[in-house]
């Protein structure tokens, strides 16, 4: 069984099949829509989305970890319109435009340490691709051409382009596209719920998990490893936060072996954890940050790789160039929307709101631990995973056939029908993932818990 991004979330809609007959959906089993078309979402307002039947659903996933400021924000639409009327498009290939210049200033000012150079893309996978290519060329430019390999974590998702997919730690997601780019290696992730060692000692577990990165670097040879790619909170597998001391130890390891640390914040940046960049929350300074999704709250596509002065320095020498780019990277309209979105964050205190209410969100979701099917609730900020189990005492998980029946056969459709859009996923062990818009509060937390309680109770009775 293979599971990918939205593969599991395919409840039927009411619109006739002919209306979607030409549409090839992403990460979807298209055969499932021959007779029953997909749901058609026509409108969003605040934390809610509405389908073509007039029903509304709480957007418990912020679209796809994207709509930080909520749906229907006129100020963001107006920012796009103003920019399109002034300069709808111009590339950043040897030219610049005001919106990209200003946005680069804002991002550099928010980034930690000396991360001051912003390379714009149109999305997260492209940002990851950019970071790996920049790392390879950086080491060639400083006289270490053998440093090309990448270390990442098991079950981690980093994107769908050939390079980003190679870094991804999900074999089922990769097999259809092999052979991929060589030179990527996996180490254990930070899922302490299923820790093979030190499961009752978070600090010891964090040191053990970080040390596995060093062991991999030493095994491959430090003179061959260019970068380590890590999400602050790992998405795939169900929101694995870092144990205490983990990133400090990883930073030490990377410095010792002259390996670049890339903080993949495509999901975690822009308030998802309550800070503009998630590395700030966990107290580490990477060499590069990759980001995208929440930069515009989804109102226009954009991404970025933010590099340190150290990484940028050899690219400033003589006639050196970075032969890499994207037609729509740093698009004027997207850049203008991102600036307006960052203004919204400041005016409405969205980061502070997440930090003030994240404890209440966790406590509300932890009520579900009294259900026999709920084994673990984990995450950070407004980004949580709920792991489902067959036996809480032994942590026994579901086999492939059971997971298929549970997630695709029941949970995805039942949650949606009950008015909650979220993700039921088994790229690792079966989980429900929640990442609501950052404007949500206790009323929305309670509704999520109530819907989940009812649907998970019924799911248990069907086992």
């Amino acid at each position: 069984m293979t599971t990918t991004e939205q593969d599991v979330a395919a409840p039927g809609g009411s619109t006739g099949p002919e209306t979607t007959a030409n549409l090839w959906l992403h990460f979807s089993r298209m055969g499932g829509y021959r007779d029953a078309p997909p749901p058609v979402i026509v409108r969003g307002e605040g934390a809610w989305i509405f389908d073509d039947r007039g029903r509304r659903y709480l957007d418990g996933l912020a679209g796809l970890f994207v709509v930080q400021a909520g749906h229907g924000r006129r100020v963001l639409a107006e920012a796009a319109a103003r920019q399109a009327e002034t300069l709808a498009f111009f590339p950043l290939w040897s030219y610049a435009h005001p919106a990209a210049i200003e946005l680069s200033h804002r991002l550099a000012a928010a980034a930690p340490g000396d991360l001051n150079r912003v390379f714009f893309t149109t999305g997260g996978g492209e940002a990851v691709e950019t970071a790996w290519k920049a790392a390879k060329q950086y080491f060639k430019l400083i006289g270490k051409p053998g440093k090309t390999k990448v270390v990442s974590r098991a079950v981690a998702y980093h994107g769908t382009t050939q390079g980003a997919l190679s870094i991804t730690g999900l074999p089922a997601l990769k097999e259809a596209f092999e052979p991929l780019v060589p030179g990527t290696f996996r180490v254990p992730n930070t899922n302490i719920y299923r820790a093979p060692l030190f499961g009752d000692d978070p600090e010891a577990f964090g040191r053990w998990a970080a040390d596995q990165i060093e062991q991999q670097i030493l095994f491959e040879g430090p003179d061959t490893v260019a970068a380590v790619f890590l999400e602050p909170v790992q998405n795939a597998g169900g929101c694995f936060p870092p144990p205490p001391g983990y990133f400090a130890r990883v930073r030490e390891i990377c410095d010792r072996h002259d390996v670049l640390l890339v903080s993949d914040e495509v999901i975690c940046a822009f308030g998802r954890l309550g800070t503009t960049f998630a590395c700030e929350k966990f107290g580490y300074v990477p060499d590069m940050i990759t980001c995208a999704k929440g930069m515009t709250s989804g109102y226009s596509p954009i991404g970025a790789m933010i590099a340190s002065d150290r990484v940028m320095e050899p690219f400033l020498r003589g006639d050196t160039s970075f032969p890499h780019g994207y037609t729509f990277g740093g698009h004027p309209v997207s850049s203008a929307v991102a600036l307006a979105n960052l203004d919204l964050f400041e005016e409405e205190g969205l980061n502070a709101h997440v930090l003030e209410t994240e404890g209440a969100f966790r406590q509300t979701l932890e009520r579900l631990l009294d259900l026999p099917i709920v084994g673990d609730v984990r995450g950070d900020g407004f980004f949580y995973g709920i792991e489902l189990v067959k036996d809480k005492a032994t942590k026994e998980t579901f086999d492939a056939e059971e997971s298929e029946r549970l997630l695709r056969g029941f949970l995805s459709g039942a949650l949606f029908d009950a008015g909650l859009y979220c993700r039921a996923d088994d790229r690792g062990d079966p989980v429900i993932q929640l990442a609501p818009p950052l404007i949500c509060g206790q009323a929305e937390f309670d509704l999520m818990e109530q819907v989940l309680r009812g649907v998970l109770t019924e799911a248990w009775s069907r086992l």
Side-chain angles (χ1 to χ4, degrees), residues 103-388:
L103 182 56
S104 71
H105 293 332
R106 293 280 290 273
L107 295 178
D114 67 342
L115 277 80
N116 293 315
R117 293 289 182 157
V118 182
F119 189 102
F120 286 113
T121 68
T122 60
E126 290 178 355
V128 170
E129 197 86 6
T130 299
W132 191 9
K133 291 175 76 173
K136 286 183 175 181
Q137 189 177 358
Y138 165 79
F139 282 114
K140 286 180 172 62
L141 291 172
I142 66 170
K144 297 182 178 182
K147 292 175 75 71
T148 62
K149 298 175 184 176
V150 165
V151 176
S152 60
R153 294 187 292 205
V155 193
Y157 174 81
H158 292 283
T160 57
T161 59
Q162 288 283 306
L165 186 58
S166 300
I167 296 171
T168 290
L170 293 158
L173 203 64
K174 302 160 76 163
E175 59 189 9
F177 310 108
E178 293 174 336
L180 294 172
V181 184
T184 66
F185 304 90
R186 249 59 58 197
V187 295
N189 56 48
T190 59
N191 182 5
I192 195 169
Y193 181 66
R194 297 195 175 278
L197 295 168
F198 308 115
D200 58 350
D201 187 338
E203 290 190 13
F205 173 66
R207 185 174 183 87
W208 173 85
D211 285 348
Q212 302 314 296
I213 295 174
E214 182 165 43
Q215 290 302 310
Q216 189 66 52
I217 292 171
L218 292 171
F219 183 80
E220 293 301 322
D223 58 346
T224 72
V225 179
V228 172
F229 280 71
L230 303 175
E231 297 166 274
V233 175
Q234 181 173 316
N235 171 40
C239 302
F240 305 141
Y246 175 79
F247 274 110
R249 177 68 173 157
V250 171
R251 181 71 268 181
E252 292 173 5
I253 290 166
C254 289
D255 289 342
R256 180 157 54 247
H257 299 295
D258 194 18
V259 171
L260 299 178
L261 175 56
V262 182
S263 188
D264 184 356
E265 305 198 11
V266 171
I267 288 177
C268 292
F270 305 109
R272 181 54 50 197
L273 306 185
T275 52
T276 300
F277 293 109
C279 54
E280 174 188 353
K281 188 168 190 180
F282 298 122
Y284 68 98
V285 179
D287 299 291
M288 288 184 270
I289 293 172
T290 57
C291 57
K293 294 181 183 289
M295 196 188 307
T296 65
S297 285
Y299 283 70
S300 193
I302 197 168
M305 182 277 287
I306 308 173
S308 67
D309 290 340
R310 169 199 172 193
V311 171
M312 187 68 195
E313 191 278 329
F315 291 93
L316 300 175
R317 301 173 188 169
D319 59 358
T320 300
S321 71
F322 182 32
H324 172 72
Y326 301 100
T327 299
F328 295 113
H331 191 284
V333 173
S334 296
S335 297
V337 173
L339 288 165
N341 185 54
L342 294 176
D343 288 342
L344 263 184
F345 266 72
E346 293 178 3
E347 292 163 7
E348 299 184 4
L350 291 182
N351 284 338
H353 173 69
V354 172
L355 294 176
E356 290 164 3
T357 58
E358 63 177 344
F361 188 34
R362 173 186 283 274
Q363 290 168 11
T364 304
L365 294 179
E366 285 179 341
R367 295 179 203 157
L368 297 167
L369 287 168
D370 67 354
L371 298 178
I373 198 173
V374 175
D376 193 29
V377 174
R378 56 181 178 255
D380 197 277
F382 274 25
F383 186 35
Y384 273 85
I386 300 168
E387 183 166 336
L388 309 180

Side-chain angles (χ1 to χ4, degrees), residues 58 368 414-422 445-457:
L58 180 62
L368 297 167
L415 288 166
F416 192 71
D417 289 343
L420 176 62
Y421 166 68
C422 59
F445 303 160
D446 287 338
L447 180 58
M448 283 185 270
E449 190 270 342
Q450 291 163 14
V451 171
L452 286 163
R453 177 172 294 278
V455 173
L456 291 175
T457 298

